Amino acid sequence: MGFVMWNQAPVQVPARIVWAAIDHDAELPCDITAPSSQDGVKLVLWFKDSTGIPLYSLDSRSGVPISAAQHSTIANDLGQRLFFSVGATPKEARLQIRNIKTSDGGVYRCRVDYFNSPTRNYRVNLTLAVPPEEPRIFDAQGKEISTVAGPFREGHELFLSCQVSGGRPPPRVTWWRDGVEISSTSHPSAVEGTSAMVNQLFISTVTRDFFGSKLQCRAAGSKLVPAVSKEVAIQVHLKPLRVKIISPNELLTAGRPVPIRCEAWGSFPAAKIVWLLDGEPLRSADITVHTDSNDANLTSSILTLRVSAENDGAELTCRASNPWFSGGSIEDKRIISVA
């Protein structure tokens, strides 16, 4: 069926927004309820943007019920994907568009002619949801983080900024840790010329349980398109928690070397272990071994100690510290006996 131009100027009514996603279907509402029970629908026409040629018509001018009216569509790709459903009630009437394409976005107008009542017009803005770009994560110095953020120090602050460009509607940007949302406040970027949403994560005190964890920045706009996310591992430097000289405190023999072992737990990177005798540093230990694990981070130091008779009653100290922290060293002491 050929279409003629319908030159009647449309009434400018507010457009209702309907969101849709590429390759999905959409429904544009058009309430065709007659103003009175004695009236009925004569003709339904759908237009797109400013085009004067109808995309779709439902013709009941012959007097047949609207459910039996003749359907006609424009002879193009969009027309082949359209169907006007009268619905169970006139309020539920809608234009169905299958397999949405980018070119389908725009303002549609539904014109409803009645036999006795004035024409009604409805406008629907079909807006296509667009997924945002992958989030970008930056540290406090503005350096972009690809896989590992940090190092951060136990007891100190953590700052990361997540920036997400694009997306329609603008996405909500959130921070997550172990499946739990920890920061939900995002705002437009303050950088001039940048159309991006930003969420700045600030943690005033980094605790030990951040060691080995990951943080995820997630951007979600419309439910019609999947959220996008980026995850980074968090590197945390830890203070030593405990230090102990674990070799038995046995009677030492003057002039005979004896290995003494000290272990420090909790430090990352490896604890620096220093041995002292009566407050004076001893030479470096013969062996130092560090083992990383989520619950231990064990550093072992073995000192070969050679004492003389005058060292009887001296104080032997094993001191552990993490060079990333000023102060905060911990130590274990014992009084040695020499025969």
Side-chain angles (χ1 to χ4, degrees):
M1 171 183 172
F3 283 116
V4 297
M5 296 289 287
W6 295 80
N7 295 319
Q8 178 180 336
V11 178
Q12 289 300 307
V13 293
R16 174 178 173 178
I17 295 178
V18 170
W19 288 94
I22 302 298
D23 297 330
H24 289 66
D25 298 341
E27 294 187 341
L28 312 186
C30 179
D31 183 355
I32 61 173
T33 305
S36 71
S37 57
Q38 284 75 42
D39 206 351
V41 176
K42 181 170 63 175
L43 185 66
V44 177
L45 299 172
W46 278 93
F47 302 87
K48 183 175 185 292
D49 298 324
S50 58
T51 305
I53 301 176
L55 295 171
Y56 200 99
S57 75
L58 190 64
D59 193 345
S60 187
R61 286 177 290 184
S62 64
V64 299
I66 192 66
S67 58
Q70 180 181 357
H71 295 249
S72 299
T73 64
I74 194 168
N76 63 13
D77 172 68
L78 176 58
Q80 294 175 4
R81 294 181 285 113
L82 299 178
F83 180 75
F84 188 75
S85 173
V86 176
T89 67
K91 281 184 175 293
E92 299 173 27
R94 58 205 179 276
L95 181 67
Q96 299 169 331
I97 308 177
R98 291 180 289 103
N99 193 27
I100 291 289
K101 298 184 177 180
T102 303
S103 57
D104 295 341
V107 177
Y108 290 74
R109 178 168 61 93
C110 175
R111 169 181 152 177
V112 186
D113 292 347
Y114 300 96
F115 285 102
N116 303 316
S117 305
T119 293
R120 287 180 176 174
N121 285 274
Y122 301 94
R123 294 171 69 237
V124 180
N125 187 342
L126 181 62
T127 307
L128 301 184
V130 177
E133 298 175 13
E134 181 183 270
R136 300 174 68 192
I137 296 174
F138 300 88
D139 63 15
Q141 287 73 44
K143 176 187 174 185
E144 185 166 2
I145 306 300
S146 57
T147 55
V148 179
F152 303 102
R153 290 183 291 167
E154 174 192 356
H156 292 247
E157 64 187 34
L158 177 154
F159 175 87
L160 290 173
S161 177
C162 182
Q163 178 176 306
V164 181
S165 299
R168 190 172 60 223
R172 177 174 175 260
V173 181
T174 52
W175 280 99
W176 297 71
R177 179 185 173 208
D178 300 329
V180 177
E181 184 177 321
I182 59 173
S183 177
S184 60
T185 305
S186 56
H187 56 83
S189 172
V191 179
E192 188 174 347
T194 302
S195 58
M197 296 298 290
V198 176
N199 186 323
Q200 295 175 319
L201 176 66
F202 178 77
I203 296 172
S204 58
T205 304
V206 175
T207 53
R208 295 185 68 88
D209 59 358
F210 273 86
F211 183 80
S213 67
K214 294 181 179 180
L215 295 178
Q216 182 189 73
C217 175
R218 190 180 300 176
S222 168
K223 293 180 180 179
L224 297 170
V225 293
V228 293
S229 63
K230 182 174 179 63
E231 187 175 75
V232 292
I234 302 300
Q235 186 181 71
V236 179
H237 286 174
L238 304 174
K239 302 174 185 177
L241 289 174
R242 189 160 60 96
V243 63
K244 185 173 179 60
I245 302 172
I246 62 172
S247 298
N249 193 3
E250 299 172 337
L251 181 65
L252 305 179
T253 302
R256 179 184 295 175
V258 59
I260 299 180
R261 184 186 189 98
C262 178
E263 292 186 348
W265 293 267
S267 177
F268 185 84
K272 178 183 179 183
I273 293 182
V274 176
W275 292 90
L276 304 101
L277 189 63
D278 277 342
E280 293 296 322
L282 297 171
R283 66 180 179 81
S284 300
D286 296 318
I287 303 172
T288 301
V289 178
H290 183 75
T291 304
D292 291 335
S293 67
N294 285 336
D295 57 353
N297 295 335
L298 174 66
T299 306
S300 298
S301 175
I302 300 176
L303 171 72
T304 302
L305 181 64
R306 186 190 299 268
V307 292
S308 61
E310 62 189 32
N311 295 133
D312 184 48
E315 183 182 69
L316 179 66
T317 301
C318 174
R319 179 181 296 164
S321 63
N322 185 329
W324 282 84
F325 297 87
S326 57
S329 63
I330 57 175
E331 54 189 36
D332 186 33
K333 299 179 180 181
R334 68 167 51 164
I335 301 299
I336 61 173
S337 300
V338 182

